[in-house]
Amino acid sequence: MEISNKLLKNIMKIKKITGFHIIVKGDPSVGIADKELKLEGEFYFDDNEELQKFKNNLKQTFENYCGEVSVDTFEEYQKKINS
């Protein structure tokens, strides 16, 4: 019984993310607008630390090719819009 309760608690902590917005920074002073890329799908993370690590790796990958970028989950992006 104790094992199943512990397992259930760990399963409840898993974060489901439905995708990521990757914003490539432009330069409006010379007419280059920001570009938005979407990475859609279901992503599961054991905790916030694992999610943050993934976002940092995703950001680094795109910065290597696109310059400055920002990465938000769909859920984080929606919160920004709502506030």
Side-chain angles (χ1 to χ4, degrees), residues 5-58:
N5 286 339
K6 186 175 180 180
L7 179 61
L8 183 60
K9 285 181 184 179
N10 286 336
I11 289 172
M12 296 300 291
K13 289 181 187 177
I14 293 175
K15 296 183 68 93
K16 178 184 176 188
I17 302 299
T18 56
F20 297 88
H21 287 276
I22 304 161
I23 308 298
V24 179
K25 302 296 180 187
D27 186 352
S29 68
V30 293
I32 301 172
D34 291 351
K35 300 270 191 252
E36 181 180 332
L37 305 165
K38 292 181 183 179
L39 179 59
E40 297 176 339
E42 291 183 355
F43 299 85
Y44 295 90
F45 300 94
D46 289 337
D47 53 33
N48 283 331
E49 183 179 332
E50 186 179 36
L51 170 59
Q52 192 58 49
K53 224 183 256 189
F54 183 84
K55 285 175 56 178
N56 289 341
N57 288 336
L58 192 59

Side-chain angles (χ1 to χ4, degrees), residues 54-64 67 69-71:
F54 183 84
K55 285 175 56 178
N56 289 341
N57 288 336
L58 192 59
K59 182 178 181 197
Q60 183 63 50
T61 298
F62 278 88
E63 283 182 339
N64 287 339
V69 302
S70 64
V71 176

